[in-house]
Amino acid sequence: MLPELDTADRALHAAAVEQLEQRVMDLALERTGARHGAIFLWDAKRKGLAIDFHVVEGLVVTLPGALLEPRRDGKPNGIAMHVFEANASRLVNDTSRDPSYARYFLDVQSIAAVPIVYQRKPIGVLSVSAREAGAFTAAHVMELEALAASAAKFLRRAQLYRATRDQGRPFLIKGLSPQWLDVERRIERVAYTDAAVLITGESGTGKELVAHAIHFNSRRAAKPFVTVNCAAIPETMLESVLFGHVRGAFTGASFDKTGELQKADGGTLFLDELGELPMALQAKVLRALEYGEVQPLGSNKAPERVDVRLVCATNRDLPARVREGAFRDDLYYRVGVMTIELPALRTYKESLEVLAHVFREQACKRHDKQVVDVAPAAMERLLAYGFPGNVRELRNAIEHAVILADGEVIEAEHLPRSIAAPAAPPSLPRSPSVSPSAPKRPTLAAARESWLAPLEARYLRDVLDDRRGNVRGAARDAGIDAVTMYRLLKKRGVPFGRG
């Protein structure tokens, strides 16, 4: 049933595992019409169900280290744990009446869950859920059982792979927006090469996170990932940090020092804030990249050979700095073999609720707190705020709120003051030419939606017609994944089958 998974069987690595789980989850969502789903795999060392792959509202959410453990306090273990322990499928169409239901991440009312069985023993659980009651049928459960059976041996390999390496997976939510889909495609295509990558975007958009994802999914994943922030190190010290020095190379050099380029040998060097790299060092960095040679300060020996993959990031306009003579054009072309531009949070605010809950889960784990929800008033404040600091600011705001929360819910007053009580914009005098009784002009968002909706619906109908109703084929033609295509079809009211 899943012949395309043979590639994972032949060459299992981080990217292949994720593609495998993505494929299984996509099929589960398509066959049940769900927008939420998860793959749980048993972690023998930690004695719990690791949440290995998680989709919420069409977004792929990875929570490294997230674990469901059997409870000993009398509270419900959750449907997934019940299915695993009983090794039996479960259909719940009203969670309020089910004694095993335990809220995780977001409240749901319907759940269909089946065990993933390998050699007659459960190794995990495949689950889908919905916010509305009565969403699934016995036929949906049978579909999930068939899918779990066909994927079991591949998921067993994924389970073993997870168990034999560290749990330091980079946290990266997928499918946040059309712009992020392009980012994800670029990461997937460039990660397994040795090409230099330049990541651009505003401060706080996740540039270091993407750099980690590129390294983690590369052939160099087992080798070092070394970070140098060019803006955080004084110019007089940066050369020594990058290239190292020998004892006596300069005043205070009382010992030999290995440079970060040497430390990254075989792995990846991440140069953050590349735009701040001094002109005097740019030529030396370029030579190190071109020839793979490093000469420590004060050394008279032959240059040391290094094999380093370079990933850089900047929030500066490097082409402008090249025109100004502040950045070498040859270095710019060398580091920008592949450029990945990260979108600002304000361009995908529709995904903010899911992001907020992800950061709430992380903060609770970090600070050992039980904060299970965000109050509607607090979410309204988050959605209304502009977040100039992007995802980093959102993460810090949620952590701030989790620390201050004195109960299980984040209230508006727990948020940072700039978000909880934003300053009112100064009132402007009304133009005398505008009548107070004139009809209110629609907001820009409302005007854009009224213009976009019919055009997007017509496009979706056309691309679906071209594929004779095949949703997966239409998604490929549109350059999006199938889950996003189903979400858009439902949003725009375009009828579709299950193709």
Side-chain angles (χ1 to χ4, degrees):
M1 186 178 290
L2 297 172
E4 64 270 38
L5 298 182
D6 285 343
T7 54
D9 193 25
R10 291 195 301 267
L12 198 62
H13 52 80
V17 167
E18 187 163 321
Q19 289 167 10
L20 155 67
E21 293 169 333
Q22 173 84 63
R23 177 62 175 148
V24 172
M25 199 74 258
D26 279 351
L27 289 171
L29 297 178
E30 287 176 25
R31 294 177 184 183
T32 59
R35 296 190 63 199
H36 308 261
I39 296 173
F40 303 86
L41 294 179
W42 181 254
D43 188 320
K45 290 182 180 179
R46 297 188 293 162
K47 300 190 184 308
L49 283 173
I51 304 166
D52 225 49
F53 200 86
H54 193 201
V55 173
V56 180
E57 295 292 350
L59 305 181
V60 178
V61 178
T62 302
L63 291 169
L67 191 75
L68 298 185
E69 301 175 84
R71 302 188 68 119
R72 296 177 177 82
D73 56 5
K75 294 183 178 180
N77 275 328
I79 303 298
M81 186 64 71
H82 181 89
V83 167
F84 179 81
E85 291 178 339
N87 193 14
S89 302
R90 192 79 181 276
L91 174 61
V92 178
N93 271 318
D94 185 356
T95 57
S96 66
R97 298 175 179 272
D98 194 290
S100 298
Y101 174 68
R103 181 189 191 278
Y104 173 70
F105 206 77
L106 296 174
D107 267 318
V108 296
Q109 294 188 49
S110 301
I111 299 174
V114 303
I116 301 167
V117 180
Y118 181 75
Q119 293 183 349
R120 300 184 181 180
K121 294 182 180 180
I123 63 169
V125 175
L126 175 61
S127 171
V128 296
S129 57
R131 291 197 177 191
E132 64 275 10
F136 306 118
T137 66
H140 290 136
V141 174
M142 293 176 64
E143 289 274 12
L144 293 179
E145 288 173 341
L147 179 59
S150 66
K153 75 171 184 177
F154 302 103
L155 290 171
R156 173 58 174 167
R157 285 169 171 77
Q159 182 187 40
L160 294 174
Y161 177 81
R162 300 282 196 224
T164 55
R165 62 162 179 76
D166 61 32
Q167 295 296 316
R169 276 188 287 169
F171 159 68
L172 191 67
I173 292 184
K174 293 192 171 185
L176 287 168
S177 70
Q179 299 98 313
W180 266 107
L181 286 172
D182 181 63
V183 170
E184 293 152 22
R185 281 193 292 268
R186 287 172 178 259
I187 291 173
E188 290 170 2
R189 290 172 183 173
V190 79
Y192 216 58
T193 73
D194 281 332
V197 182
L198 176 63
I199 308 168
T200 65
E202 296 178 11
S203 178
T205 49
K207 294 187 286 294
E208 184 168 0
L209 178 65
V210 170
H212 273 283
I214 290 170
H215 172 75
F216 181 85
N217 288 291
S218 75
R219 290 171 293 191
R220 298 171 180 262
K223 298 295 184 178
F225 178 88
V226 177
T227 299
V228 175
N229 189 317
C230 300
I233 303 170
E235 183 174 344
T236 54
M237 295 176 57
L238 189 54
E239 184 174 5
S240 172
V241 169
L242 285 171
F243 297 94
H245 64 250
V246 298
R247 181 179 179 182
F250 51 84
T251 303
S254 56
F255 56 89
D256 291 352
K257 180 185 183 304
T258 302
E260 301 303 286
L261 275 160
Q262 293 101 312
K263 292 178 185 177
D265 188 26
T268 302
L269 176 67
F270 175 50
L271 289 183
D272 200 4
E273 303 291 354
L274 178 70
E276 311 306 319
L277 186 67
M279 279 290 287
L281 269 182
Q282 291 177 23
K284 192 167 183 179
V285 169
L286 178 62
R287 179 173 179 81
L289 295 176
E290 291 286 355
Y291 299 102
E293 295 179 348
V294 173
Q295 184 80 46
L297 284 173
S299 174
N300 293 321
K301 297 180 180 179
E304 299 179 28
R305 299 288 301 176
V306 293
D307 172 23
V308 174
R309 198 257 181 93
L310 186 69
V311 177
C312 301
T314 183
N315 59 10
R316 302 289 293 270
D317 185 347
L318 283 190
R321 289 181 64 78
V322 169
R323 291 192 297 271
E324 295 164 0
F327 200 89
R328 293 178 63 106
D329 57 353
D330 48 3
L331 180 58
Y332 171 65
Y333 299 134
R334 179 64 179 81
V335 302
V337 173
M338 168 70 79
T339 300
I340 300 177
E341 182 175 0
L342 306 190
L345 176 58
R346 61 182 173 274
T347 67
Y348 54 96
K349 290 284 282 290
E350 69 277 4
S351 300
L352 187 143
E353 182 181 1
V354 173
L355 279 169
H357 281 291
V358 169
F359 294 142
R360 174 187 55 76
E361 290 275 345
Q362 291 183 325
C364 286
K365 182 178 179 181
R366 188 178 302 117
H367 300 290
D368 194 24
K369 296 198 68 174
Q370 293 294 321
V371 180
V372 300
D373 207 354
V374 180
M379 190 60 70
E380 287 179 11
R381 299 288 175 85
L382 291 170
L383 290 168
Y385 184 65
F387 286 101
N390 292 293
V391 177
R392 182 191 293 124
E393 185 180 8
L394 173 61
R395 183 187 63 224
N396 292 343
I398 296 298
E399 185 168 10
H400 176 282
V402 166
I403 292 171
L404 287 186
D406 48 10
E408 293 189 338
V409 179
I410 292 174
E411 303 291 349
E413 60 265 26
H414 298 144
L415 296 168
R417 187 173 302 173
S418 60
I419 302 174
S427 59
L428 298 175
R430 181 184 292 272
S431 169
S433 62
V434 178
S435 168
S437 61
K440 186 177 180 181
R441 190 182 302 277
T443 65
L444 177 61
R448 181 185 292 118
E449 177 65 14
S450 65
W451 173 79
L452 175 64
L455 293 177
E456 191 171 82
R458 186 172 66 186
Y459 172 81
L460 292 171
R461 282 193 295 268
D462 289 346
V463 75
L464 200 59
D465 288 344
D466 289 345
R467 282 288 185 164
R468 298 181 180 179
N470 186 295
V471 178
R472 293 193 62 82
R476 284 194 295 271
D477 291 347
I480 59 178
D481 59 67
V483 174
T484 302
M485 174 61 80
Y486 276 104
R487 175 166 57 83
L488 289 173
L489 291 170
K490 290 180 180 178
K491 179 180 178 181
R492 298 306 182 198
V494 178
F496 60 92
R498 292 289 169 201

